[in-house]
Structures are given as structure tokens and as C-alpha cells.
Amino acid sequence: MADQDTGYVEDPAPGHGRLAPRARFDSDAPCLELDGPWRFRAAAGLHDLALGFEDPAFDDTHWDRLPVPSCWQLHGIGAPAYTNVTYPFPIDPPRVPDENPTGEYRRVFTLPGDWPAGRSVLRFDGVDSCFAVWLNGVRLGDGKGSRVPTEFDATEALRTGPNLLAVRVHQWSAGSYLEDQDMWWLSGIFRSVRLLSRPAGGLDDFFVHADYDHTTGAGTLRIDTSGAARLSVPALGLQDADPAGPHTFEDVVPWSAEQPHLYLGELTTGSERVHVRIGFRTVTVEDGLLKVNGRRILLRGVNRHEWDPETGRTLSDATMLRDVLLMKRHNINAVRTSHYPPSSEFLALCDEYGLWVVDECDLETHGFEQVDWRGNPAADTRWREACLDRMRRLVERDKNHPSVIMWSLGNESGSGENLAAMAAWTRDRDPSRPIHYEGDRDSGYVDVYSRMYADHAETELIGRGEEPPTDDPALDAHRRQLPFILCEYAHAMGNGPGGLSEYQRLFEAYPRLQGGFVWEWIDHGIARHTPDGRRYFAYGGDFGEPVHDANFVADGLVLPDRTPSPGLVEYKKVVEPVRIDVCAADALIRIHNGHDFRDTSHLRFRWRAEDDGEPVAEGELAVAALAAGARTTLPQPALPPSAGERSLTVVAELAEDEPWAAAGHEIAWGQSVTGTFRESGRPQRGPSAVTRTADRLDIGPARFDPVTGELRGLGGLALDGPVLDVWRAPTDNDELGPRLADRWRDFGLHRLTTRVLDVVPAGDGLTVVTRVAPAGGDAALTATYHWSADGEALRLDLAVAPLGDWPLPLPRIGVRLALPGWIDTVDWYGRGPGEAYRDSAAAARLGRFRRSVDALQTPYVRPQENGNRHEVRRARLTGDGGGLEVTGGFDLTVRRWTSHRLDAARHSTDLTPGDRVHVNIDAAHHGLGSASCGPGTLPQHTLHAEPTMLRLTLRGL
């Protein structure tokens, strides 16, 4: 029976009894998958361990079963907890609390009868956060480093027939101090476990060096191998060759994210065949630029955590493929693996489909910032080996992936000599890839200058080389010669981010600015259900965590179920690799191929003309293939004149199927708009007279309350409003950062009261004057409504003017009204089809669209302002009982709940339809920004309290 020594838990050392790190690869050597149901027992801490659980004779029949791989908290064992920065235990390194949830696993497997003699290796691809392993009662060792593989030599303990594998996993350990990434704290064997046969004379490791000379087109290949081997690459004419070479090929197809060409080969020994995928490419930093294959690249990237709302950090191959396909289809070309190495399978998909990868070490000590970085492991020599070990295991595992173009030392770990040592080791082991670490502000031991959340103004200064100097003149001179990357920007939390277009213009204007990575890819919501079975996504605090960061974990471009958010649709448009400028002024179409390498021969260009949203003509443009970076100008198609508003839209789409999308998939578009919309809903006949009785005022088809002057009916349609409205359910960007939402609430914008000052009927109209103001102050808004009508339609001219001091922007300015609950469909002519706001509207094009009221909503994990349709000319809100047509120029939101109910909701399931449909018709909205963790709304997108006009025509249907 093994002893119960658990000293390894608080030992800063990375582990004991482990094998040296090596590349991950597939071969024809036997492999026994050990995934599946394991016996499992949850222990409360080190005082609650099952004595002798590693003994094959131990009786575990009363234990539960738990799937491996999985996270045990997502199987009802303990609870998930989310923190962004704060450690959920006292900072007392390397000690952790006695209340240390521990999982004890047992698995019986039978060694196949034909299992080869020789060495056998037991591999764990991911265990959080610390574990020890026994095979048939023999202790193999222990390990830390949750997201890097750990291997043990199982040869001596392995038996023919049944074998008992026992694993003890601890949630907290010394390693937890190095794993304070912004994510859920989850535990368990969350990646696969395998037993590998390592035949005598087999290949334990190899390192592919496949360089590309962009000046000649030649490729040079050499492969360092751990033992004698032969190399065959049929497509290169290489057969049974010495891998060490070097082998030079006069003309190879290089690998890039745009054209990810892989050469398939084999390394063979007398006992094993190893599959090799080779991508020829060279990464350099020269002339102050990050270059691949001799060309500056522009990173259109995202930060990606591994996440699934049902299984947490355990991802299926299908889920990883879905991520890659979604990224490719939305013009994303780069991934930063925040903040740890992903599954090897994900990198293989990046190799195959084409994504630049910044591969990041499993290191973050952000919580030490809260104690002024005292005891930070990055600067403590006791943790030197642990830090180096994590970097070694990253580099050795992933060194053969051509998609990996940079190594990252980790994230938000302060500074210290351990980081410098990691950089030195990495540079010595693999000088072919630059090194990244955002925390090295002076850039003394990295190869790129990296920042997160620099605002637009600072980013432009850096682009011009005019950023403030560092303290050390030599380091300052060095840093100014480095390319700049925003490793995190445009925080995609909730409704947003705004300001993407302004960032992209900077990236394309200044060569030093080589793009960046939006934070982040996915909302980390955990799927849960209400008692009546409705699904929602839980976030921090939903599991009773005493310390948590609420919904800050829901900050992705895709919702937890991987539905693209409006932010992802916006990002696709902003970073499109082909720019199409349809210029009305000179009747020309200008096309710029913004690809780094690829010409446009894989695209076809279609055009479509519409008048007031109605199709007029369409066709295909004859565009000669444009080389990367090239431009062309074409005349616009000849079209008859338009009496209304003419839109001409040009689309670039795939001409043929690509591995990641079918022919016809849209890559880019441009649109021009000329003329004026023919407002058919405007009153056409003479004005209707005002008639008054004791209980109503009538103007044509409209009925008003004679006391308040509010509209009560239009034709046969009953309604309430419209009345002035400036409140919106604050977005995450409103709530966080400078906390604009708190200022709005403190000012009372969510509880305005109305005083009717005048209701003045005249012969041809009705004027209503109101004063709208919050309690406790003298600031107000006057709203003057002037109504007029003909026999069919009603015209509103609304003038809003601020009174007093308004020291803050408004959320929105417009009117709200309520319609019967049977309204279920909205048809509109304006920008769409998705939601859009003034600083997040690039992806919204002019056209005619139709959606159900329910489909207009975006189900953000935390409910908030959403669903706005921008620059609408005409909207029809209809149902079985008729409806309402609104014409003018406005933004439109239609919901089955009020903004106040939306504001009060914590989850989507808190929102249930009532008997009314609530409509906002706005002259303007405040922008979105990304102040939840980044810059706020830019000045040009700020909604100031100033005189505003809104002109509408309403017609009952």
C-alpha cells in the first residue's frame, strides 16, 4: 500500500517522476484510450482521503461514476466559481487552504493481449490543478501544470490482463498560484488519458524546421529526431531520406493562414511510422515589422479560451472544429490561446484550415497585483523551475505546428527574472519564432511591443512612434524598433464592442500597428435550466461563490452556445480582407485586396441595385485577379435613373467551395446610397381639423387624451404614447469602467417624471408641451409635440430641448409607445438585418428586412439594451389584428418588455412576455464603446443633451 504523503500539493516544484516534455504526434504504435466512465469519490480535503484507494484490491463498488475527461463541478460535485483577478483563497504561497476539494479516480483497464513488449507511457493531456498517479499500487509520480501534458513511464508497473489506474486530483495546489486566468475555477481530469506503446527503436521526439525563402520560392527542410529515422514526403519527391538533411526544394508552396498548404510525410524507424505535416514558412521581426514569408501581416484576431457551456473546459473535436470554421467564416485570421496552451487538436485544425496562432504559456499570477505584487512567483526563485517547466512543455508539445508563429510567456504575471529566464530558454530552443509578453512594457526580453486596451489616441501615437519613452533610453530605442500588437482590445462584453472601425483604420494606416486580438471569443456561460425547463446561462455568483466577478466572464463574440453575437458580425465587416468602395460621387467602384498573400482569384464580385429597398437590377462584375495589396477601379453598372433612394451593393463571395465555407459565402461588401426615400406614408391630403368632445380630442384617424395630450388610438389600433424617453437598460459597457450607468441612475434618468404644461388644439393640429425631469434637481427636458393629420395618416414633429445643467450624456433620445401584444412581426426599410448602434454599425446595410418581434432580441447572458435597428426609414409592426406603420428617419427597438424590466433582469429567463409590445423610436442613441474593460465611447459617438428634432408619420394598418 502506498503512503499518504501529500507534500507535493504545496511544493512549488512542477512534479516528480514525470518524463521529459516532447512533441505531440500520431504514429502507428498502439495506443489505448482510457477515456470513459471512471469510479470517482469526492473528498473534502487532504484530511478526507480514502486510505489505500490506489490498491487494486480496494473496494470502490460504492463509489460514483464520473466521465473522463470532464470537470467534476459540472457534474454536480461541488460548485463552479468565477473570478477574474482575485484568488479564491488567501494569498499565502505556496500554501493553500485545508478545504481543498479532491477527487479520487479509479479505472480498471485490460491490456490487450497483443500489446507490444517494451516501454509504455501514460499520458495525461490536462488535469486541474495537481495530481498524483498510481498504477497497480505503484506510485508513478505527480504533476502540476493543468493545461500542459504530463507523461509517466508505466512500463514496470504495467501487467498483462487487468490493470488498476488510480489518480488523486486536488483543486488547489502551489500550481494554482500560477493559474489565475480570467475563467471559471474547475477541477478534474478534463482532457484525455492514454496509454502509449513506445516500441524499442521508436521515435520519442522530433522537431520540424521548414523554412521558406520568399525571394526565391525555395524551401529548406530539416528534422531533428531523437533517434535514427528515415523521412519520406511524396509531394516533395523525398523518399527514405535522412531527416536531418538539410533538403532544399527550388519551388514549394508556402504555408500561410490564407493558404495553409501542408505537405504530408512520414518518419519511419524499424518499429514505428510517425505522421508529419509540414508547412514551409519563415517568421521574422525585421524593419520594425512582424513578417511571415517576407511580408508584413495584419492580425485580425481573437483571444480564445477553451469553453463549452455544458462541459466546461472539456471540448469535443466537433466543438473545436466549429470554433475554427466560425472564425474563418467571419474573416478572423489569428488566435491568441488565452491564457494557456489549448488542446493539441485545436492547433492541428489551425494548421489545416489556416489561422495564425500566438501560443501562450499556462501562466498568470494576476491576483498578486492586489497585494502590490508581493511574493509574485514570476519574481521568486522558488518558482523558477515551475515557470520554466510550463514554458518547456508548451514549446516542446507545439513546436511542429506551422500555425504557431509566436510564443507567449503568459499573461498578467507582473515582471520578474523568471519571465526573463523563460524568454531566454525559449529563444535558445526555438529562435525561429518571436516571443511575446504584454507585461514586459519596456520590451527588454520580447520581440514585439504588446499592450492591452490602449485607447485609439494612444494606439495612434504608438503607430507614429510617438509614444511616451521608457525610463531606460536603450530599451526605449529598442522598443521603438518593434512592431506593435494589441494582444487584447475591444472588450466584447455584452452589447458591443463599439469603436472597432476606428481601431481598424489605425491598423491599416500605420504599418507598425499590426492588428490585435479582440477580447474574447466566447461567453463562458454555464448552461442551467429553470424549474420549468427553460435554459439560461449562469455566471459568477449564480453558484453561491463568496468571491466572484459576476458576468465579467461573459465577454465573447459568440454567445455560450456559439451563436454569433452582433459584435462578431460587426467584426467580420470591420476586418474584411477586401475593401469595396462604391462611390456615388464619381460612379466608380474601387476594390482593394487587403489579403497579406492571396490574390482575389478565389472570389467573384456580384452587384445589386435597389430603389427604396425594391430590387432593380443585379449582375456580376468582371474583376481581374488582384494580387495581395493591389487595387483596381471599375465603372459602376449602367442603370436607369431612380426617383427614390437608390442603393448599389457590391459583394465579394467565394467563387468555389473552400474547406471552411461553401461557394457563395460572403467575404466583403460595399454599398452606396443616393437619392431620397419616397415617404409614401406622409400625409398627402389637406390637414384634418381638430374635433373635441368631453373625453377626447380627434385629429383625422387619431384619438388623443384631452388632458395629457397623449395619443390613445390610431384608426382601429389602440396604443399608449408616444412619450419622450431617454432611458435604456444599461449595457455592460455602461455599467463598468467609468460606470456611466451609475451616473445616469444618480441623476435619475431611470425615474423621470412628466408635467404637462400645455395642450393646445388648433384648426389644423394639436400642440402638446411637457416638462420631463428627474426628482431632486432643476435640470429638465422640454418636449414639444406638434400633431397634424390627413384622413389616413398622422404626422408628429417633436422638438426636445434641455433646460439647466446636463453634465452627462443621455442613453437615448426619442419616444416610446406600447402596442397590443398580438403584434408579432416587424418589416422595415433601413439598415440591417442585425442590431446596430452608432459606433457599431459597419455591418448594417440598407435594405428591406423582416423579423419576428422575438427574433429582434439578442439574448445576452446578462440582459441589457439590445436589438436596435439603425437608420430606419419605414417600419411596419403587424399582427393578426392589423398594425402600425412608422415613416421617417429613426432608430427602432421593439420588445415584449419595457426597458425597466430588461434592466431588472439577471438572466434571459427572467424576461417573460406581457400583454403589450413596447416600441422605442429614437432620434439617437449613445454609443457602445468597450468601457467594461477598455476605452469608453468616442467623442463623435457621445449623445449630448442638446436640442433634437424627431419627425415621424404614423399610419394604422
Side-chain angles (χ1 to χ4, degrees):
M1 183 181 298
D3 62 56
Q4 296 297 314
D5 178 21
T6 56
Y8 61 90
V9 174
E10 293 184 344
D11 185 350
H16 306 85
R18 306 166 308 150
L19 295 174
R22 63 195 183 104
R24 173 72 179 273
F25 56 85
D26 295 323
S27 82
D28 64 352
C31 170
L32 185 61
E33 299 282 349
L34 298 179
D35 294 351
W38 290 42
R39 289 289 186 179
F40 179 83
R41 174 183 177 270
L46 302 188
H47 62 282
D48 186 33
L49 304 179
L51 187 65
F53 94 113
E54 69 280 355
D55 192 324
F58 182 88
D59 181 9
D60 62 12
T61 55
H62 59 291
W63 284 18
D64 294 327
R65 292 188 183 274
L66 184 72
V68 169
S70 71
C71 304
W72 70 57
Q73 289 88 350
L74 296 186
H75 288 265
I77 303 163
Y82 165 64
T83 63
N84 171 28
V85 178
T86 304
Y87 287 105
F89 47 80
I91 299 178
D92 183 25
R95 290 187 287 266
V96 293
D98 293 336
E99 300 87 1
N100 188 355
T102 294
E104 295 179 318
Y105 294 78
R106 284 169 54 92
R107 169 76 150 85
V108 175
F109 65 91
T110 299
L111 198 66
D114 59 352
W115 190 260
R119 291 175 63 239
S120 292
V121 170
L122 186 62
R123 181 169 67 208
F124 294 82
D125 282 326
V127 184
D128 192 321
S129 71
C130 167
F131 68 113
V133 181
W134 292 261
L135 181 59
N136 297 320
V138 177
R139 194 178 194 279
L140 302 184
D142 57 77
K144 303 182 189 74
S146 296
R147 284 153 285 274
V148 286
T150 303
E151 292 185 334
F152 302 96
D153 191 331
T155 309
E156 296 302 320
L158 199 62
R159 303 172 180 169
T160 58
N163 288 261
L164 185 282
L165 178 59
V167 183
R168 183 172 280 148
V169 180
H170 309 277
Q171 177 164 20
W172 310 126
S173 70
S176 301
Y177 285 100
L178 305 181
E179 296 176 1
D180 188 29
Q181 291 96 339
D182 175 9
M183 60 185 182
W184 291 97
W185 295 92
L186 298 174
S187 316
I189 305 172
F190 70 92
R191 289 185 188 154
S192 290
V193 183
R194 296 177 176 89
L195 184 69
L196 309 175
S197 171
R198 302 306 310 134
L203 199 61
D204 283 337
D205 197 12
F206 62 92
F207 193 168
V208 176
H209 306 273
D211 297 325
Y212 177 72
D213 186 339
H214 67 278
T215 63
T216 65
T220 302
L221 175 64
R222 63 181 176 87
I223 302 180
D224 303 330
T225 58
S226 59
R230 306 300 291 175
L231 173 65
S232 297
V233 187
L236 294 173
L238 208 60
Q239 188 67 36
D240 196 33
D242 180 0
H247 304 283
T248 301
F249 309 95
E250 291 184 359
D251 187 19
V252 298
V253 179
W255 190 97
S256 72
E258 294 169 2
Q259 293 176 292
H261 188 85
L262 294 171
Y263 290 91
L264 305 183
E266 270 192 348
L267 286 165
T268 58
T269 72
S271 58
E272 186 176 25
R273 291 180 177 272
V274 174
H275 308 297
V276 183
R277 301 201 302 179
I278 301 163
F280 287 92
R281 56 107 185 95
T282 300
V283 187
T284 58
V285 173
E286 57 185 8
D287 306 321
L289 300 174
L290 173 66
K291 296 182 180 181
V292 178
N293 300 336
R295 296 188 183 183
R296 170 190 184 262
I297 63 170
L298 183 59
L299 301 172
R300 302 169 166 94
V302 292
N303 285 276
R304 175 186 176 269
H305 271 287
E306 294 192 302
W307 187 253
D308 183 281
E310 303 284 350
T311 59
R313 284 199 285 278
T314 300
L315 269 60
S316 67
D317 290 350
T319 297
M320 289 185 276
L321 176 59
R322 188 176 177 190
D323 278 348
V324 169
L325 295 180
L326 276 170
M327 290 176 189
K328 293 290 291 186
R329 291 168 185 170
H330 286 86
N331 293 333
I332 289 166
N333 71 357
V335 178
R336 177 178 174 228
T337 69
S338 54
H339 297 295
Y340 44 81
S343 294
S344 296
E345 290 80 0
F346 179 77
L347 294 180
L349 292 169
C350 294
D351 294 340
E352 180 179 353
Y353 289 92
L355 289 167
W356 310 117
V357 174
V358 176
D359 203 2
E360 194 147 273
C361 184
D362 188 11
L363 176 64
E364 179 166 338
T365 64
H366 200 172
F368 282 88
E369 182 180 44
Q370 297 185 334
V371 294
D372 296 324
W373 296 105
R374 290 188 302 273
N376 180 22
D380 185 336
T381 56
R382 291 181 300 166
W383 301 86
R384 175 73 55 86
E385 182 53 33
C387 292
L388 285 168
D389 178 78
R390 287 167 183 251
M391 197 68 200
R392 281 195 292 261
R393 290 179 182 273
L394 164 74
V395 172
E396 297 296 357
R397 189 197 71 165
D398 296 342
K399 58 184 178 270
N400 294 325
H401 289 284
S403 58
V404 175
I405 60 168
M406 264 193 280
W407 301 117
S408 178
L409 304 180
N411 184 69
E412 292 175 325
S413 294
S415 59
E417 288 306 307
N418 292 344
L419 290 160
M422 293 164 65
W425 179 89
T426 304
R427 189 169 283 111
D428 180 68
R429 177 61 173 141
D430 180 26
S432 73
R433 291 177 173 98
I435 295 172
H436 166 274
Y437 177 63
E438 182 268 344
D440 182 13
R441 292 296 178 88
D442 290 347
S443 304
Y445 48 82
V446 295
D447 302 301
V448 296
Y449 178 27
S450 177
R451 288 286 307 280
M452 54 176 68
Y453 306 111
D455 63 21
H456 301 79
E458 182 183 4
T459 300
E460 183 167 16
L461 284 175
I462 295 170
R464 299 203 306 249
E466 298 173 3
E467 70 270 25
T470 68
D471 293 336
D472 184 320
L475 287 177
D476 182 66
H478 166 70
R479 194 181 71 180
R480 291 179 191 279
Q481 299 303 310
L482 298 182
F484 177 75
I485 291 170
L486 276 168
C487 67
E488 294 179 22
Y489 81 111
H491 196 252
M493 185 176 180
N495 189 346
L500 284 170
S501 294
E502 289 81 1
Y503 271 119
Q504 194 66 20
R505 281 196 283 272
L506 294 173
F507 298 158
E508 295 177 6
Y510 296 98
R512 186 189 188 192
L513 305 180
Q514 294 196 238
F517 300 85
V518 168
W519 185 267
E520 64 164 306
W521 175 241
I522 189 169
D523 289 341
H524 303 203
I526 294 178
R528 286 295 180 263
H529 294 84
T530 61
D532 60 357
R534 291 176 297 137
R535 189 184 195 218
Y536 68 97
F537 296 105
Y539 49 80
D542 285 337
F543 299 93
E545 310 101 296
V547 178
H548 67 84
D549 285 298
N551 66 309
F552 204 70
V553 76
D555 48 10
L557 290 171
V558 296
L559 303 181
D561 62 359
R562 286 177 164 75
T563 298
S565 76
L568 179 58
V569 177
E570 177 79 356
Y571 194 45
K572 174 186 177 180
K573 171 62 180 171
V574 167
V575 301
E576 59 190 8
V578 176
R579 297 291 184 204
I580 303 172
D581 178 19
V582 186
C583 185
D586 54 12
L588 295 174
I589 299 169
R590 295 178 173 86
I591 301 173
H592 173 216
N593 180 12
H595 284 98
D596 297 320
F597 300 94
R598 195 172 193 183
D599 67 25
T600 59
S601 59
H602 64 299
L603 302 176
R604 62 177 173 235
F605 294 82
R606 297 188 180 276
W607 62 269
R608 180 179 67 258
E610 296 175 335
D611 286 351
D612 296 331
E614 295 288 353
V616 173
E618 62 182 4
E620 186 168 338
L621 288 177
V623 182
L626 289 173
R631 303 171 186 265
T632 191
T633 301
L634 304 168
Q636 293 183 11
L639 293 168
S642 170
E645 186 172 46
R646 165 74 52 82
S647 64
L648 178 61
T649 308
V650 178
V651 172
E653 63 186 29
L654 293 180
E656 298 178 351
D657 291 350
E658 293 274 340
W660 45 271
H665 172 76
E666 184 178 289
I667 300 296
W669 61 273
Q671 185 181 67
S672 68
V673 178
T674 56
T676 304
F677 171 57
R678 292 170 292 186
E679 190 177 338
S680 59
R682 293 171 66 94
Q684 300 297 318
R685 301 190 311 196
S688 299
V690 178
T691 62
R692 182 167 191 163
T693 63
D695 60 352
R696 57 191 283 179
L697 283 170
D698 290 351
I699 309 176
R703 185 177 76 255
F704 292 85
D705 184 294
V707 176
T708 66
E710 288 188 19
L711 182 64
R712 292 288 181 247
L714 185 59
L717 180 68
L719 49 78
D720 295 315
V723 296
L724 181 68
D725 192 14
V726 300
W727 180 247
R728 73 183 186 195
T731 67
D732 291 322
N733 291 313
D734 297 333
E735 293 279 13
L736 301 174
R739 298 192 176 276
L740 180 58
D742 287 348
R743 296 176 60 202
W744 286 342
R745 292 188 180 100
D746 290 344
F747 203 78
L749 295 186
H750 62 311
R751 50 175 175 80
L752 298 179
T753 59
T754 300
R755 175 73 165 87
V756 178
L757 300 179
D758 220 346
V759 179
V760 183
D764 62 351
L766 173 69
T767 300
V768 179
V769 183
T770 66
R771 184 180 190 274
V772 179
D778 60 358
L781 298 166
T782 60
T784 302
Y785 305 78
H786 182 74
W787 297 97
S788 59
D790 64 8
E792 301 174 358
L794 181 67
R795 174 67 180 258
L796 169 64
D797 290 276
L798 172 64
V800 181
L803 299 173
D805 183 23
W806 287 82
L808 74 176
L810 297 177
R812 69 183 340 140
I813 188 163
V815 294
R816 71 173 186 272
L817 61 152
L819 299 175
W822 45 256
I823 296 287
D824 58 15
T825 303
V826 181
D827 296 83
W828 76 97
Y829 170 55
R831 295 180 69 175
E835 77 177 29
Y837 293 79
R838 62 194 293 171
D839 59 348
S840 182
R845 70 189 80 184
L846 182 63
R848 289 188 176 215
F849 307 100
R850 179 185 178 93
R851 293 290 187 274
S852 71
V853 171
D854 296 334
L856 289 173
Q857 316 310 311
T858 302
Y860 293 112
V861 171
R862 185 193 70 82
Q864 58 197 271
E865 166 63 36
N866 73 90
N868 186 66
R869 266 54 186 182
H870 191 46
E871 294 183 355
V872 176
R873 279 75 159 159
R874 181 177 60 220
R876 291 189 174 101
L877 293 74
T878 59
D880 291 341
L884 175 70
E885 179 185 87
V886 184
T887 309
F890 52 92
D891 279 16
L892 177 69
T893 309
V894 185
R895 302 191 184 98
R896 297 195 179 278
W897 35 78
T898 64
S899 294
H900 288 82
R901 282 189 59 203
L902 186 61
D903 186 14
R906 279 180 47 84
H907 299 98
S908 58
T909 47
D910 296 336
L911 296 166
T912 54
D915 61 356
R916 308 292 273 168
V917 167
H918 302 273
V919 182
N920 277 90
I921 302 170
D922 294 311
H925 257 271
H926 185 64
L928 300 175
S930 62
S932 54
C933 187
T937 304
L938 287 165
Q940 63 267 35
H941 300 304
T942 299
L943 180 59
H944 298 288
E946 56 191 14
T948 302
M949 288 293 301
L950 181 62
R951 296 183 172 89
L952 305 171
T953 301
L954 290 76
R955 184 190 301 270
L957 299 174

